[in-house]
Amino acid sequence: MIIAIDGPASSGKSTTSRLVAKKLRISYLNTGSMYRAVTLYFLNNNYSLEKDNVLEVIKSIDIDVSDSVEKESIILNGIDVTSKLRTLKVSSFVSKISSNNLIREKMVEIQRKISQNKSIVIDGRDIGTVVFPDADYKFFITASIEERAKRRFEELQIENKSVNFEFVMKEIRDRDYLDSTRELSPLKKANNAILIDTTHLTLD
């Protein structure tokens, strides 16, 4: 059984997906973390989509993803980078990196491989439209940009990161634009997905 949950940044899809998987006692996969790991690799090695051979760079990237609901672990070339994936720098570049066709094709291949022969909840931006268009259940979770910025801002404050609300709002607005206008696998609701607006909803 495949449960696809898509939606924009900070809409609550990852937290919701993880809890749904835990309640159903099935696997969970956060595809956004995979793209963040690739972005981190590009940043750490000063690679550029414009100047470097992306196909060759991809060959040097090995990503191992835990599909456990208890603990998300992203292993990049043998190193656990989970704690480094949600920095402001990675967040600023992830939409650009993930818009590359070669990178998306590689990630989709890995996502399908991880999800073989199991029941799993997968969240992302193109799960119900591209990765698993025949998923058993599809949901599209969203919220107002103000509410999403507030959630992200509060999350960063808990992590003791110095940032202002206006910057967070701009970051989310920019990501929405890049994610929804990219040529390959843009962020959009699948025609048969159930829409859930979480703006005024509690997590429960």
Side-chain angles (χ1 to χ4, degrees):
M1 174 178 67
I2 302 289
I3 300 176
I5 301 183
D6 292 305
S10 298
S11 59
K13 65 182 182 298
S14 295
T15 305
T16 302
S17 298
R18 187 178 289 107
L19 290 174
V20 168
K22 189 172 185 177
K23 185 158 187 148
L24 295 177
R25 296 182 181 179
I26 61 178
S27 298
Y28 164 66
L29 180 61
N30 180 342
T31 63
S33 293
M34 297 173 64
Y35 288 104
R36 284 177 175 271
V38 174
T39 302
L40 181 67
Y41 186 79
F42 268 76
L43 292 173
N44 285 349
N45 292 280
N46 294 314
Y47 285 129
S48 165
L49 293 177
E50 293 78 22
K51 298 178 182 178
D52 294 293
N53 185 324
V54 175
L55 190 58
E56 288 302 313
V57 174
I58 291 174
K59 289 179 181 178
S60 64
I61 298 177
D62 179 56
I63 296 179
D64 189 16
V65 184
S66 164
D67 61 357
S68 168
V69 298
E70 300 302 331
K71 181 185 178 184
E72 179 183 53
S73 296
I74 308 296
I75 310 300
L76 175 63
N77 291 349
I79 300 173
D80 189 335
V81 296
T82 312
S83 63
K84 301 176 181 179
L85 299 182
R86 297 203 169 271
T87 64
L88 288 173
K89 191 168 185 180
V90 170
S91 295
S92 297
F93 284 91
V94 65
S95 288
K96 181 179 180 181
I97 296 294
S98 63
S99 67
N100 181 272
N101 292 1
L102 292 173
I103 291 174
R104 294 205 72 82
E105 288 171 2
K106 181 64 177 179
M107 292 301 102
V108 169
E109 178 185 318
I110 295 174
Q111 290 157 21
R112 287 173 176 166
K113 185 177 181 180
I114 291 173
S115 306
Q116 279 183 339
N117 304 317
K118 66 177 67 171
S119 290
I120 189 168
V121 179
I122 311 173
D123 80 67
R125 285 166 171 74
D126 63 346
I127 309 304
T129 54
V130 175
V131 185
F132 289 105
D134 297 322
D136 300 274
Y137 301 95
K138 298 181 186 180
F139 298 91
F140 190 89
I141 295 182
T142 189
S144 71
I145 190 167
E146 292 81 10
E147 177 63 23
R148 290 188 288 127
K150 177 187 171 195
R151 292 172 185 173
R152 179 63 175 145
F153 179 68
E154 291 175 349
E155 182 182 86
L156 290 170
Q157 283 188 313
I158 292 173
E159 296 172 4
N160 296 317
K161 292 182 179 177
S162 179
V163 65
N164 63 61
F165 182 79
E166 288 71 24
F167 177 85
V168 175
M169 176 87 81
K170 181 180 184 303
E171 180 193 59
I172 288 182
R173 185 176 284 112
D174 290 346
R175 285 195 64 190
D176 284 352
Y177 176 77
L178 289 171
D179 289 343
S180 60
T181 59
R182 65 180 175 231
E183 183 180 348
L184 184 69
S185 305
L187 166 68
K188 67 177 182 179
K189 175 183 171 294
N191 291 332
N192 56 345
I194 296 172
L195 176 66
I196 301 177
D197 187 330
T198 67
T199 303
H200 302 295
L201 297 181
T202 63
L203 185 55
D204 286 338

